[in-house]
Amino acid sequence: MLNRLFKKNIEDFKAKDLMTKAVITAVPLDNLLVVQNLMSRFRIKKIVIVDSNNKRYPVGIVTIKDIIKFLISVQTDRELHEIPVEEAMTKSLTTTDKSTSVVDCAEIMLGRGNAISSLIVVEEGSWEQIELAGILTSTDFTRFFSENCRGLASVKDYMSESVLTISINEKVSKAAELMAEKNVSRLVVVATNNYSDGLSGILTETDISGVILAIRSKTLRSVYEYLQIIFSSSKRNNQDKYLEPTLIRIRDVYTPNPYVIDEDADLAEAAKIMVRQ
């Protein structure tokens, strides 16, 4: 697919040409609050976890999705600063070296029905004791496409036509559970549960992460639970007690007026918008 799309010898491009070299890292015993602050500070959605004694040796990776999944599935009263990242991180790493072609990198990331959004890039010839060289993400691929592939494809050739939607009036926890179940990072927000009722906006992992993370605070949670007792007309499900109160809905956190593009537009233009925003 990539060779046809680029219409040139894509094998000339290697992982080292696309990867991000300045990798933001943490160690296993760093807590989730530290990791969340790093993500916010550097505006990223994943952190590579390295060995405490050897900061060049990757031992895991944690994403916003990992943290959300952990917080909605694990019953615990601990706050973010009390939870080490090693409990939420993905320990099974997918790695490649700097000389791997971008075609092979793309195929590794697409996998067999289990696509991943990043590859850990290691120094060449260091398989016995791998050393972190960089990270190759879907954003890196998107940036490369936007800069080198204008006029080679249209949006409709590669867009996803099956769109997951959610009502603007649904609870944030419902969105988090749907994202985790379907392994997606965003949902299209509509006026009701019927997509034909029109686009209201988009809801991403980043949009809901602040709410899910805030509810881990015992102080905030006690305030929300008190409000819920006052305003909620129905009994709470015990499994939902650690999530958001009835008062918080998708309409409170979603992104309205999302960027849109025509299906006949150049795919490189769509990539450019995605990278810029």
Side-chain angles (χ1 to χ4, degrees):
M1 178 185 73
L2 286 175
N3 279 307
R4 178 177 66 82
L5 191 60
F6 284 89
K7 295 182 180 177
K8 60 179 172 180
N9 188 7
I10 193 65
E11 296 287 350
D12 289 343
F13 295 96
K14 308 298 180 183
K16 62 184 178 182
D17 299 318
L18 275 67
M19 71 181 190
T20 298
K21 298 177 183 177
V23 184
I24 307 302
T25 64
V27 298
L29 292 181
D30 280 335
N31 60 63
L32 291 186
L33 183 60
V34 168
V35 169
Q36 190 268 336
N37 286 338
L38 285 173
M39 288 180 175
S40 297
R41 177 183 175 187
F42 293 101
R43 300 181 66 186
I44 53 179
K45 296 193 290 184
K46 50 184 68 68
I47 301 284
V48 175
I49 310 302
V50 294
D51 184 79
S52 300
N53 298 316
N54 181 358
K55 302 301 173 59
R56 303 244 328 147
Y57 182 65
V59 296
I61 188 169
V62 66
T63 66
I64 287 180
K65 185 186 273 93
D66 291 328
I67 295 175
I68 292 173
K69 280 184 178 180
F70 178 84
L71 294 180
I72 67 175
S73 64
V74 176
Q75 298 286 338
T76 177
D77 265 344
R78 292 176 297 168
E79 298 196 43
L80 290 181
H81 71 271
E82 300 172 309
I83 304 172
V85 68
E86 64 183 352
E87 292 187 28
M89 73 183 189
T90 298
K91 298 177 182 178
S92 178
L93 290 176
T94 303
T95 63
T96 190
D97 68 42
K98 296 195 296 185
S99 63
T100 304
S101 76
V102 295
V103 173
D104 289 338
C105 289
E107 290 177 348
I108 293 170
M109 291 173 69
L110 290 173
R112 293 185 177 180
N114 187 30
I116 57 176
S117 61
S118 59
L119 270 178
I120 304 298
V121 184
V122 298
E123 295 290 350
E124 299 169 67
S126 61
W127 295 108
E128 292 183 1
Q129 179 65 47
I130 62 174
E131 292 186 2
L132 180 65
I135 186 171
L136 183 58
T137 69
S138 54
T139 300
D140 294 320
F141 272 101
T142 303
R143 180 178 294 107
F144 175 77
F145 191 94
S146 70
E147 295 172 352
N148 297 279
C149 306
R150 184 169 296 278
L152 299 183
S154 64
V155 169
K156 64 184 176 184
D157 295 328
Y158 290 93
M159 69 183 187
S160 298
E161 296 187 45
S162 178
V163 180
L164 286 174
T165 65
I166 195 163
S167 168
I168 196 172
N169 295 314
E170 273 287 3
K171 296 171 71 173
V172 170
S173 59
K174 177 69 176 294
E177 291 165 0
L178 183 59
M179 286 182 182
E181 177 189 348
K182 301 297 184 181
N183 195 31
V184 297
S185 302
R186 57 194 58 80
L187 300 170
V188 171
V189 179
V190 292
T192 69
N193 287 321
N194 189 342
Y195 182 64
S196 63
D197 287 338
L199 172 70
S200 294
I202 192 167
L203 183 75
T204 70
E205 291 171 336
T206 303
D207 293 326
I208 68 174
S209 64
V211 174
I212 299 297
L213 295 174
I215 299 306
R216 300 309 304 187
S217 165
K218 295 170 187 174
T219 302
L220 284 174
R221 192 161 66 244
S222 64
V223 172
Y224 286 150
E225 288 175 348
Y226 179 69
L227 290 173
Q228 190 174 37
I229 291 172
I230 296 175
F231 293 105
S232 178
S233 60
S234 60
K235 293 182 179 179
R236 288 173 293 156
N237 184 320
N238 287 334
Q239 292 182 342
D240 291 337
K241 67 181 180 180
Y242 59 94
L243 294 175
E244 90 285 48
T246 303
L247 299 178
I248 301 179
R249 300 285 171 168
I250 288 173
R251 62 174 175 263
D252 301 314
V253 298
Y254 83 113
T255 300
N257 306 314
Y259 286 88
V260 297
I261 196 166
D262 190 88
E263 65 177 0
D264 293 318
D266 193 315
L267 188 60
E269 182 59 30
K272 181 179 179 181
I273 294 172
M274 293 171 71
V275 171
R276 187 175 64 233
Q277 300 304 327

